[in-house]
Amino acid sequence: GEDVEQSLFLSVREGDSSVINCTYTDSSSTYLYWYKQEPGAGLQLLTYIFSNMDMKQDQRLTVLLNKKDKHLSLRIADTQTGDSAIYFCADVPLDTGRRALTFGSGTRLQVQP
Amino acid sequence: DTGVSQDPRHKITKRGQNVTFRCDPISEHNRLYWYRQTLGQGPEFLTYFQNEAQLEKSRLLSDRFSAERPKGSFSTLEIQRTEQGDSAMYLCASSLVTAGNTEAFFGQGTRLTVV
């Protein structure tokens, strides 16, 4: 089946850059997504990247995709305390027949002042 | 507010009771998804609808769970004979699928506690 793997925890200081990594197994994924979840809340779509792109930048967010290694990363520049949350990567594993997002277990980002 | 809304936000029920949750998607979205999330985990897919048709159900969706989307708009998720293991956050999402992009927008979720 499809697996999406993430490291569990990342701690950075305010103002530093954060890099959250994700690996996935399904090579048929057309789009890959990053979501943010704050405590007790639903998921907020941050950004996504089309699989034929290597990089996408959106203000403080940079997504890098290495399709050969099936590796996705999210870089947050100038990390702020308000960025503290859980970040999920997700894809749609078309090879499995699934037409809905499959999520990793999330990376908890802690930003220290 | 034109986002995805879920009702209720919180539900506490006794084991063995039935519960029903409602989701109102973004109005022009053709797909609606239900997910379950437990503490420390990512959302797990339960089922999804394309308009009013239920196209896929996860193995997680036991026969105690049923979902409907009768007119292709709002959806309900019912859990019969609730068990303590059903305690979780139930998330609804909707999307307008275009050119393979399943950009899904989530509601705030319904937190279920079975006591």
Side-chain angles (χ1 to χ4, degrees):
Chain A
E2 158 72 352
D3 281 318
V4 180
E5 302 282 343
Q6 298 180 241
S7 53
L8 291 180
F9 185 76
L10 176 66
S11 180
V12 300
R13 291 201 175 276
E14 193 173 17
D16 288 350
S17 292
S18 307
V19 180
I20 301 170
N21 295 301
C22 171
T23 58
Y24 59 97
T25 57
D26 195 287
S27 57
S28 66
S29 302
T30 309
Y31 288 86
L32 295 113
Y33 304 83
W34 283 103
Y35 282 82
K36 175 184 180 182
Q37 187 175 37
E38 297 185 51
L43 278 76
Q44 174 194 353
L45 176 65
L46 286 178
T47 187
Y48 61 86
I49 188 167
F50 186 48
S51 59
N52 70 352
M53 297 170 66
D54 298 324
M55 185 181 83
K56 179 180 179 181
Q57 188 151 2
D58 184 358
Q59 300 181 342
R60 291 191 298 122
L61 304 179
T62 303
V63 179
L64 294 178
L65 175 60
N66 182 328
K67 199 169 181 184
K68 174 176 169 289
D69 294 339
K70 298 178 189 168
H71 182 266
L72 182 72
S73 67
L74 174 70
R75 178 177 179 269
I76 306 172
D78 187 26
T79 314
Q80 303 298 305
T81 54
D83 295 324
S84 293
I86 302 175
Y87 291 80
F88 295 95
C89 65
D91 73 346
V92 180
L94 298 176
D95 274 353
T96 68
R98 171 69 45 83
R99 294 295 179 266
L101 293 168
T102 294
F103 288 86
S105 53
T107 299
R108 180 178 296 276
L109 175 64
Q110 182 180 72
V111 182
Q112 302 190 359
Chain B
D1 184 12
T2 57
V4 178
S5 63
Q6 292 187 244
D7 184 69
R9 293 290 309 276
H10 303 274
K11 178 72 177 177
I12 301 174
T13 191
K14 291 184 178 178
R15 191 174 52 189
Q17 297 292 304
N18 299 343
V19 293
T20 300
F21 310 141
R22 176 179 171 124
C23 172
D24 286 272
I26 294 170
S27 60
E28 64 270 23
H29 283 185
N30 54 0
R31 282 201 187 162
L32 186 148
Y33 312 84
W34 284 100
Y35 285 82
R36 181 173 71 187
Q37 186 179 26
T38 52
L39 200 61
Q41 299 297 315
E44 296 172 298
F45 170 75
L46 293 178
T47 189
Y48 88 93
F49 294 83
Q50 173 108 356
N51 301 312
E52 66 273 12
Q54 189 174 17
L55 295 188
E56 186 179 356
K57 293 194 284 189
S58 160
R59 292 190 309 272
L60 295 176
L61 210 68
S62 78
D63 57 7
R64 295 185 299 105
F65 288 68
S66 62
E68 294 183 346
R69 193 183 184 198
K71 296 181 181 177
S73 57
F74 74 92
S75 175
T76 58
L77 177 69
E78 182 184 16
I79 309 174
Q80 296 182 323
R81 305 181 303 280
T82 51
E83 302 172 355
Q84 286 189 319
D86 297 331
S87 295
M89 175 81 89
Y90 290 84
L91 295 165
C92 175
S94 70
S95 67
L96 178 64
V97 179
T98 55
N101 187 349
T102 315
E103 187 179 355
F105 296 87
F106 281 78
Q108 294 297 298
T110 295
R111 181 168 296 284
L112 173 67
T113 303
V114 181
V115 297

